[in-house]
Amino acid sequence: SSNSSSSFFCGCFSFFPCIFVDMTSRKVDLPKNDAEGSRVLAPGSLNPRRMRRIIAEDALWNEERIPSLANMCISRIVADFQEKPRTDLPKEFQKRVFDDLPTNLPLEMAVRLIDDEDYWKRAAKIFSRTKDISKHGGSWKQLYFEKYISALIEAFVPGSTSEIPLQRAISLSKDYVHTLTLKQLQPPAKLLQDNVLPSHSLPVDVQYSDDKANTLISLLDNVTISSQPEDVSEEDDEEDPACDHVDISAVLEGLPLIETLRLCYKMDNCGMRFNWSLFGMTSTDAQLIGDCIKYSNTLTTIDIQESSMNDKCLRFISAKLIGNTILQTINFSHNEIGDKGIRGLAKALNGNCNVSTLILCDNRIGFGGAQALGHALNENKNVTTLDLRLNNLGDKGVQVLLKELASNKTLKRLNISSNGLTENCAGALSEFLEQNSCLSYLDITCNELGDPTGKKILDAIDHNKSLISMDMRLAGFSQDTEIAINEILVNNVHNQAKATSTK
């Protein structure tokens, strides 16, 4: 048997290319080629006492058997980082430690000790796959906390989810959240208990379920998750009135750097359990938003869409908007705002208001709202963009609006598309374009104006030097009229460019 085994190993040695590692040297001596191209064994490989290892799979493999001391130290620091964090390292080794750290570290620790952008880029992948961080201050850390807080609030069920983890998360992210975007807001669980909503109105996975919230809360360290705060008893909870949604004013109070607030009072992924009770803001929600606008020193943009905002809600918000000099952009599109709500908003615009962009598309604004807006913008010196598309202005509403805007010196962009306009407002359009010397963009698409109206507009803009762009698709203009209008607009562009270059 000994002879057979020796012959077996001899056969293996003759079949595979062999590497013999010298025990006295620190590196592996690789085989070399002689002048004729044949392989020559490494020096010392013929001495059986100096042979230690045979690697038959790859003749060029030269992996170090023992890791370096630096690698061993980095591995140990990473393994013990949660219990014994070390950041007082040279930049070279500190970067390697942050690259190897897991992204599920407790936020209390990560927010204090880690500013490495690559770490927060890896952590942000659980919320977003975006590669553009320009909308988040150019910081992956800011993007992470903005997405984290948004996901935590969207999963919050008033009356069911504990408020303590949310409060702790807000306190940790208060220095990094500048934009808060909430694509859904959960209705309170207490309304289900009181049978205010039908029992089938919420999806099964939403009713009294905190799974998503618990997953996000698990990133916080030593948090006890309960169905309600420990300091609130069941008797006290029954005596207090049920809240409508999460208290947005309390959220913004803990996030003092908020500049942009985007809200949507609805539920996503309802499936076959859809119910209208899941959608829409309430008067209490409107009052809380008004408090945010009134008391915030940083809020410049408020965006509330697809939330069934009615006149009553808008009037609550507008009352808190009077005297505000910080807010610059308002977007209340795709709601149920009518003339009464617009009258309340117009009063706020008449005051010391610095709103420059007003977007109210897809609402129920008619003649009364157009009249109120026109009167307000006639005196307002700050609004530069007005979007009223997809409303019910009609010919009379546009006539009174354009009459007031003819002398406006600040409005740059106006959108009145899809408002049921006909050739009856041709005179108002032509007079407005002939008198106004500030407007640079006009959108009149999807209105049955007809070619006679187009010819009147053509004659009017021949005297207008400020208008450089007009969208007139599906307005009933002939091709010749559109070409002639575009030629005048192109000349205006060239003339403005020349005037700018001479200055």
Side-chain angles (χ1 to χ4, degrees):
S1 61
S2 61
N3 295 332
S4 61
S5 61
S6 61
S7 61
F8 172 78
F9 284 110
C10 292
C12 291
F13 292 156
S14 61
F15 182 80
F16 293 105
C18 303
I19 299 177
F20 300 92
V21 181
D22 193 346
M23 296 178 61
T24 61
S25 60
R26 297 181 60 184
K27 294 185 178 180
V28 177
D29 294 324
L30 300 177
K32 301 179 180 179
N33 296 336
D34 59 3
E36 298 179 357
S38 59
R39 293 224 167 191
V40 179
L41 295 179
S45 59
L46 297 179
N47 188 348
R49 294 183 179 181
R50 302 178 68 179
M51 291 188 300
R52 179 180 177 184
R53 190 177 181 187
I54 300 175
I55 304 174
E57 292 80 10
D58 188 354
L60 302 178
W61 189 49
N62 188 24
E63 183 182 30
E64 295 184 11
R65 295 184 301 260
I66 301 176
S68 65
L69 183 59
N71 291 339
M72 295 175 64
C73 292
I74 291 174
S75 300
R76 177 49 55 188
I77 292 174
V78 171
D80 298 340
F81 193 86
Q82 188 165 343
E83 297 179 359
K84 300 178 181 179
R86 290 287 305 274
T87 58
D88 54 339
L89 303 173
K91 292 184 179 180
E92 175 185 358
F93 299 106
Q94 188 182 65
K95 177 65 175 176
R96 294 176 60 183
V97 169
F98 290 154
D99 289 343
D100 294 340
L101 284 175
T103 57
N104 60 349
L105 292 175
L107 286 184
E108 288 90 342
M109 175 185 297
V111 71
R112 288 187 298 104
L113 301 178
I114 302 177
D115 291 326
D116 183 67
E117 283 293 295
D118 290 335
Y119 173 85
W120 293 108
K121 181 179 180 179
R122 291 189 291 116
K125 289 182 178 179
I126 64 175
F127 299 116
S128 175
R129 295 182 179 180
T130 181
K131 297 181 180 179
D132 183 14
I133 57 176
S134 59
K135 296 181 181 180
H136 303 275
S139 170
W140 287 103
K141 191 173 185 178
Q142 178 177 331
L143 181 146
Y144 174 86
F145 279 102
E146 289 178 351
K147 296 292 185 180
Y148 175 76
I149 289 296
S150 297
L152 197 59
I153 297 176
E154 289 175 355
F156 182 84
V157 181
S160 176
T161 308
S162 175
E163 297 180 1
I164 298 176
L166 178 59
Q167 293 172 355
R168 293 186 61 181
I170 289 175
S171 64
L172 290 174
S173 57
K174 62 181 180 180
D175 296 330
Y176 305 98
V177 178
H178 296 262
T179 300
L180 183 61
T181 302
L182 302 177
K183 298 180 180 180
Q184 72 167 2
L185 287 169
Q186 305 264 8
K190 182 175 174 57
L191 297 182
L192 290 175
Q193 298 174 359
D194 294 342
N195 294 323
V196 177
L197 296 178
S199 59
H200 62 276
S201 61
L202 287 178
V204 176
D205 57 343
V206 173
Q207 295 183 15
Y208 313 106
S209 175
D210 297 333
D211 293 340
K212 183 177 180 181
N214 293 352
T215 302
L216 298 170
I217 292 169
S218 63
L219 294 175
L220 300 173
D221 191 19
N222 299 325
V223 173
T224 301
I225 301 173
S226 60
S227 60
Q228 61 181 5
E230 297 178 357
D231 57 346
V232 178
S233 62
E234 295 181 358
E235 297 181 357
D236 295 337
D237 189 43
E238 293 177 356
E239 294 177 358
D240 295 334
C243 60
D244 294 75
H245 290 90
V246 64
D247 189 348
I248 292 297
S249 63
V251 172
L252 262 66
E253 185 178 357
L255 301 173
L257 301 180
I258 285 289
E259 300 175 2
T260 301
L261 178 62
R262 298 187 180 96
L263 303 177
C264 191
Y265 288 88
K266 68 175 185 178
M267 279 282 297
D268 289 336
N269 302 321
C270 296
M272 297 299 295
R273 298 181 182 273
F274 168 84
N275 189 286
W276 281 114
S277 303
L278 302 177
F279 298 82
M281 65 187 304
T282 63
S283 300
T284 304
D285 296 327
Q287 292 176 358
L288 295 176
I289 294 171
D291 292 337
C292 296
I293 296 174
K294 182 176 181 179
Y295 298 110
S296 175
N297 296 322
T298 58
L299 188 64
T300 60
T301 300
I302 180 73
D303 187 329
I304 305 176
Q305 302 187 44
E306 301 179 11
S307 297
S308 301
M309 182 191 300
N310 54 28
D311 294 340
K312 184 177 181 181
C313 294
L314 180 57
R315 292 177 76 89
F316 277 126
I317 297 174
S318 301
K320 302 295 181 68
L321 183 61
I322 297 176
N324 185 286
T325 59
I326 300 176
L327 195 66
Q328 299 177 3
T329 301
I330 295 177
N331 188 351
F332 292 157
S333 302
H334 311 293
N335 285 295
E336 301 175 359
I337 301 172
D339 293 341
K340 292 182 179 180
I342 294 300
R343 291 192 187 100
L345 181 61
K347 292 180 181 179
L349 295 176
N350 281 330
N352 297 325
C353 183
N354 290 333
V355 173
S356 60
T357 301
L358 184 60
I359 304 175
L360 300 169
C361 66
D362 193 15
N363 280 285
R364 301 175 181 177
I365 305 173
F367 172 80
Q371 186 178 25
L373 277 177
H375 180 71
L377 296 181
N378 189 18
E379 299 179 2
N380 186 283
K381 305 301 181 182
N382 297 309
V383 176
T384 60
T385 300
L386 178 62
D387 191 344
L388 296 174
R389 69 183 187 274
L390 294 170
N391 277 284
N392 301 320
L393 300 182
D395 293 329
K396 293 183 178 180
V398 168
Q399 288 172 2
V400 68
L401 176 66
L402 297 181
K403 182 179 180 181
E404 296 289 347
L405 294 179
S407 59
N408 184 281
K409 302 298 182 181
T410 57
L411 190 66
K412 299 290 185 181
R413 301 177 63 88
L414 176 63
N415 192 331
I416 52 175
S417 63
S418 301
N419 270 280
L421 307 184
T422 64
E423 59 184 6
N424 294 329
C425 65
L429 277 171
S430 58
E431 291 179 6
F432 166 74
L433 292 174
E434 188 173 353
Q435 297 177 13
N436 186 277
S437 59
C438 183
L439 192 73
S440 61
Y441 173 81
L442 177 63
D443 190 339
I444 55 175
T445 59
C446 300
N447 288 300
E448 298 178 358
L449 296 173
D451 192 54
T453 303
K455 292 181 179 179
K456 290 184 179 180
I457 292 176
L458 176 61
D459 296 336
I461 64 173
D462 194 24
H463 305 282
N464 189 304
K465 305 303 179 182
S466 63
L467 191 67
I468 59 175
S469 178
M470 183 167 65
D471 195 342
M472 46 193 162
R473 294 170 297 170
L474 302 178
F477 297 174
S478 65
Q479 186 176 5
D480 294 338
T481 302
E482 291 184 1
I483 293 175
I485 292 175
N486 286 327
E487 288 179 354
I488 296 177
L489 298 178
V490 171
N491 291 332
N492 288 344
V493 172
H494 293 327
N495 293 334
Q496 292 185 14
K498 291 180 180 178
T500 304
S501 62
T502 54
K503 292 181 181 179

